[in-house]
Amino acid sequence: MELLVSLALLIVGLVIGFFVGRFFQQKQGAGNAAQTEKQVKEILAQQAQHHIHQTRQSLESIENQCEVLKQQIEEYELLLEQGSDEEGNKVPFYGEQATTYLRNNLKQSDKARVKRVSDTQPKDFANAGSGLFVGRTEQNNAEKQ
């Protein structure tokens, strides 16, 4: 883009210089025409040098950006390679810690449940008694006899 702008400015400068030169030629005559032509050539040479300088700067900046981009791509590829190697070896996120925590807690709760069920019987909280825990004395007397 800068190259196109520089070229356009160079062409505009040449056109302006050409018309300025013609104007001065007509005004001052043939003797001054050589001097004016020399001045125009000097101006065009300065503009050309400036244009070349800007073009070189643009080219250097593009090269630097390309090198930086290459480095970033290489770093990204390394990260992808490292990520794929680690995925096979490790449990994702906090899975390893969660499995050990659950394993330890489940063992304790299973033991506690077994002891509760085998050691004591559940309580009957019904007001009048219900189901197996009615507590009728008549059946107990019949069973005894």
Side-chain angles (χ1 to χ4, degrees), residues 30-50:
N32 291 334
Q35 187 179 16
T36 306
E37 187 176 333
K38 187 177 180 181
Q39 289 176 350
V40 169
K41 286 182 181 181
E42 288 176 5
I43 291 172
L44 289 176
Q46 289 176 356
Q47 287 179 349
Q49 288 176 354
H50 181 68

mmCIF file of all heavy atoms in Angstrom, residues 30-50:
data_model
loop_
_atom_site.group_PDB
_atom_site.id
_atom_site.type_symbol
_atom_site.label_atom_id
_atom_site.label_comp_id
_atom_site.label_asym_id
_atom_site.label_seq_id
_atom_site.Cartn_x
_atom_site.Cartn_y
_atom_site.Cartn_z
ATOM 1 N N ALA A 30 14.744 30.866 -23.429
ATOM 2 C CA ALA A 30 15.556 29.703 -23.724
ATOM 3 C C ALA A 30 16.778 29.613 -22.815
ATOM 4 O O ALA A 30 17.235 28.521 -22.471
ATOM 5 C CB ALA A 30 15.995 29.722 -25.177
ATOM 6 N N GLY A 31 17.365 30.748 -22.394
ATOM 7 C CA GLY A 31 18.553 30.753 -21.542
ATOM 8 C C GLY A 31 18.279 30.185 -20.172
ATOM 9 O O GLY A 31 19.085 29.444 -19.605
ATOM 10 N N ASN A 32 17.172 30.538 -19.650
ATOM 11 C CA ASN A 32 16.797 30.046 -18.327
ATOM 12 C C ASN A 32 16.186 28.646 -18.379
ATOM 13 O O ASN A 32 16.024 28.001 -17.359
ATOM 14 C CB ASN A 32 15.812 31.009 -17.669
ATOM 15 C CG ASN A 32 16.472 32.332 -17.302
ATOM 16 O OD1 ASN A 32 17.680 32.376 -17.080
ATOM 17 N ND2 ASN A 32 15.698 33.404 -17.262
ATOM 18 N N ALA A 33 15.838 28.201 -19.537
ATOM 19 C CA ALA A 33 15.231 26.878 -19.696
ATOM 20 C C ALA A 33 16.200 25.782 -19.259
ATOM 21 O O ALA A 33 15.794 24.824 -18.614
ATOM 22 C CB ALA A 33 14.804 26.668 -21.134
ATOM 23 N N ALA A 34 17.464 25.934 -19.582
ATOM 24 C CA ALA A 34 18.464 24.940 -19.186
ATOM 25 C C ALA A 34 18.608 24.908 -17.669
ATOM 26 O O ALA A 34 18.719 23.843 -17.057
ATOM 27 C CB ALA A 34 19.794 25.242 -19.844
ATOM 28 N N GLN A 35 18.611 26.076 -17.071
ATOM 29 C CA GLN A 35 18.739 26.162 -15.615
ATOM 30 C C GLN A 35 17.502 25.566 -14.928
ATOM 31 O O GLN A 35 17.613 24.845 -13.939
ATOM 32 C CB GLN A 35 18.936 27.620 -15.191
ATOM 33 C CG GLN A 35 19.241 27.772 -13.715
ATOM 34 C CD GLN A 35 19.449 29.227 -13.341
ATOM 35 O OE1 GLN A 35 19.079 30.135 -14.103
ATOM 36 N NE2 GLN A 35 20.013 29.446 -12.185
ATOM 37 N N THR A 36 16.332 25.838 -15.455
ATOM 38 C CA THR A 36 15.092 25.309 -14.898
ATOM 39 C C THR A 36 15.037 23.791 -15.044
ATOM 40 O O THR A 36 14.612 23.071 -14.131
ATOM 41 C CB THR A 36 13.883 25.940 -15.606
ATOM 42 O OG1 THR A 36 13.984 27.356 -15.555
ATOM 43 C CG2 THR A 36 12.584 25.500 -14.952
ATOM 44 N N GLU A 37 15.457 23.323 -16.189
ATOM 45 C CA GLU A 37 15.482 21.883 -16.419
ATOM 46 C C GLU A 37 16.405 21.197 -15.427
ATOM 47 O O GLU A 37 16.094 20.127 -14.902
ATOM 48 C CB GLU A 37 15.938 21.593 -17.847
ATOM 49 C CG GLU A 37 15.846 20.138 -18.231
ATOM 50 C CD GLU A 37 16.217 19.913 -19.676
ATOM 51 O OE1 GLU A 37 16.044 20.833 -20.489
ATOM 52 O OE2 GLU A 37 16.683 18.804 -19.960
ATOM 53 N N LYS A 38 17.520 21.837 -15.147
ATOM 54 C CA LYS A 38 18.474 21.286 -14.176
ATOM 55 C C LYS A 38 17.846 21.225 -12.782
ATOM 56 O O LYS A 38 17.998 20.234 -12.054
ATOM 57 C CB LYS A 38 19.739 22.143 -14.167
ATOM 58 C CG LYS A 38 20.845 21.579 -13.341
ATOM 59 C CD LYS A 38 22.082 22.457 -13.442
ATOM 60 C CE LYS A 38 23.209 21.894 -12.609
ATOM 61 N NZ LYS A 38 24.398 22.734 -12.661
ATOM 62 N N GLN A 39 17.128 22.247 -12.396
ATOM 63 C CA GLN A 39 16.465 22.278 -11.093
ATOM 64 C C GLN A 39 15.381 21.193 -10.998
ATOM 65 O O GLN A 39 15.232 20.541 -9.966
ATOM 66 C CB GLN A 39 15.847 23.663 -10.842
ATOM 67 C CG GLN A 39 16.853 24.752 -10.584
ATOM 68 C CD GLN A 39 16.195 26.117 -10.436
ATOM 69 O OE1 GLN A 39 14.999 26.281 -10.703
ATOM 70 N NE2 GLN A 39 16.978 27.110 -10.039
ATOM 71 N N VAL A 40 14.641 21.036 -12.082
ATOM 72 C CA VAL A 40 13.595 20.012 -12.097
ATOM 73 C C VAL A 40 14.221 18.637 -11.952
ATOM 74 O O VAL A 40 13.719 17.782 -11.211
ATOM 75 C CB VAL A 40 12.747 20.123 -13.390
ATOM 76 C CG1 VAL A 40 11.838 18.910 -13.543
ATOM 77 C CG2 VAL A 40 11.911 21.393 -13.366
ATOM 78 N N LYS A 41 15.327 18.413 -12.644
ATOM 79 C CA LYS A 41 15.997 17.116 -12.539
ATOM 80 C C LYS A 41 16.502 16.874 -11.124
ATOM 81 O O LYS A 41 16.435 15.758 -10.611
ATOM 82 C CB LYS A 41 17.150 17.029 -13.540
ATOM 83 C CG LYS A 41 16.698 16.848 -14.964
ATOM 84 C CD LYS A 41 17.870 16.717 -15.901
ATOM 85 C CE LYS A 41 17.390 16.554 -17.347
ATOM 86 N NZ LYS A 41 18.516 16.407 -18.278
ATOM 87 N N GLU A 42 17.000 17.909 -10.474
ATOM 88 C CA GLU A 42 17.471 17.776 -9.097
ATOM 89 C C GLU A 42 16.298 17.423 -8.165
ATOM 90 O O GLU A 42 16.413 16.562 -7.286
ATOM 91 C CB GLU A 42 18.141 19.059 -8.633
ATOM 92 C CG GLU A 42 19.490 19.318 -9.247
ATOM 93 C CD GLU A 42 20.087 20.659 -8.826
ATOM 94 O OE1 GLU A 42 19.470 21.348 -7.966
ATOM 95 O OE2 GLU A 42 21.140 20.992 -9.340
ATOM 96 N N ILE A 43 15.188 18.086 -8.368
ATOM 97 C CA ILE A 43 14.004 17.817 -7.540
ATOM 98 C C ILE A 43 13.523 16.385 -7.767
ATOM 99 O O ILE A 43 13.195 15.658 -6.823
ATOM 100 C CB ILE A 43 12.880 18.837 -7.843
ATOM 101 C CG1 ILE A 43 13.293 20.219 -7.336
ATOM 102 C CG2 ILE A 43 11.573 18.412 -7.185
ATOM 103 C CD1 ILE A 43 12.335 21.321 -7.749
ATOM 104 N N LEU A 44 13.482 15.973 -9.037
ATOM 105 C CA LEU A 44 13.052 14.602 -9.339
ATOM 106 C C LEU A 44 14.017 13.578 -8.749
ATOM 107 O O LEU A 44 13.595 12.528 -8.259
ATOM 108 C CB LEU A 44 12.931 14.407 -10.852
ATOM 109 C CG LEU A 44 11.758 15.137 -11.521
ATOM 110 C CD1 LEU A 44 11.806 14.935 -13.028
ATOM 111 C CD2 LEU A 44 10.447 14.661 -10.958
ATOM 112 N N ALA A 45 15.311 13.883 -8.782
ATOM 113 C CA ALA A 45 16.293 12.966 -8.203
ATOM 114 C C ALA A 45 16.087 12.849 -6.694
ATOM 115 O O ALA A 45 16.161 11.746 -6.129
ATOM 116 C CB ALA A 45 17.706 13.438 -8.523
ATOM 117 N N GLN A 46 15.814 13.957 -6.023
ATOM 118 C CA GLN A 46 15.550 13.935 -4.580
ATOM 119 C C GLN A 46 14.279 13.134 -4.263
ATOM 120 O O GLN A 46 14.251 12.349 -3.313
ATOM 121 C CB GLN A 46 15.416 15.358 -4.046
ATOM 122 C CG GLN A 46 16.713 16.119 -3.999
ATOM 123 C CD GLN A 46 16.506 17.564 -3.554
ATOM 124 O OE1 GLN A 46 15.373 18.006 -3.354
ATOM 125 N NE2 GLN A 46 17.608 18.301 -3.425
ATOM 126 N N GLN A 47 13.251 13.340 -5.068
ATOM 127 C CA GLN A 47 12.015 12.593 -4.860
ATOM 128 C C GLN A 47 12.225 11.098 -5.084
ATOM 129 O O GLN A 47 11.681 10.264 -4.352
ATOM 130 C CB GLN A 47 10.910 13.113 -5.789
ATOM 131 C CG GLN A 47 10.366 14.468 -5.381
ATOM 132 C CD GLN A 47 9.296 14.971 -6.339
ATOM 133 O OE1 GLN A 47 9.092 14.412 -7.413
ATOM 134 N NE2 GLN A 47 8.617 16.045 -5.936
ATOM 135 N N ALA A 48 13.015 10.764 -6.088
ATOM 136 C CA ALA A 48 13.301 9.354 -6.364
ATOM 137 C C ALA A 48 14.078 8.727 -5.212
ATOM 138 O O ALA A 48 13.784 7.592 -4.788
ATOM 139 C CB ALA A 48 14.066 9.210 -7.669
ATOM 140 N N GLN A 49 15.059 9.448 -4.664
ATOM 141 C CA GLN A 49 15.821 8.924 -3.536
ATOM 142 C C GLN A 49 14.917 8.733 -2.306
ATOM 143 O O GLN A 49 15.012 7.726 -1.594
ATOM 144 C CB GLN A 49 16.980 9.866 -3.196
ATOM 145 C CG GLN A 49 18.102 9.834 -4.205
ATOM 146 C CD GLN A 49 19.182 10.857 -3.873
ATOM 147 O OE1 GLN A 49 19.032 11.666 -2.958
ATOM 148 N NE2 GLN A 49 20.279 10.817 -4.639
ATOM 149 N N HIS A 50 14.050 9.674 -2.083
ATOM 150 C CA HIS A 50 13.115 9.574 -0.966
ATOM 151 C C HIS A 50 12.187 8.369 -1.163
ATOM 152 O O HIS A 50 11.898 7.619 -0.206
ATOM 153 C CB HIS A 50 12.309 10.866 -0.835
ATOM 154 C CG HIS A 50 11.342 10.869 0.305
ATOM 155 N ND1 HIS A 50 11.743 10.884 1.616
ATOM 156 C CD2 HIS A 50 9.981 10.840 0.324
ATOM 157 C CE1 HIS A 50 10.684 10.867 2.401
ATOM 158 N NE2 HIS A 50 9.599 10.840 1.632
#
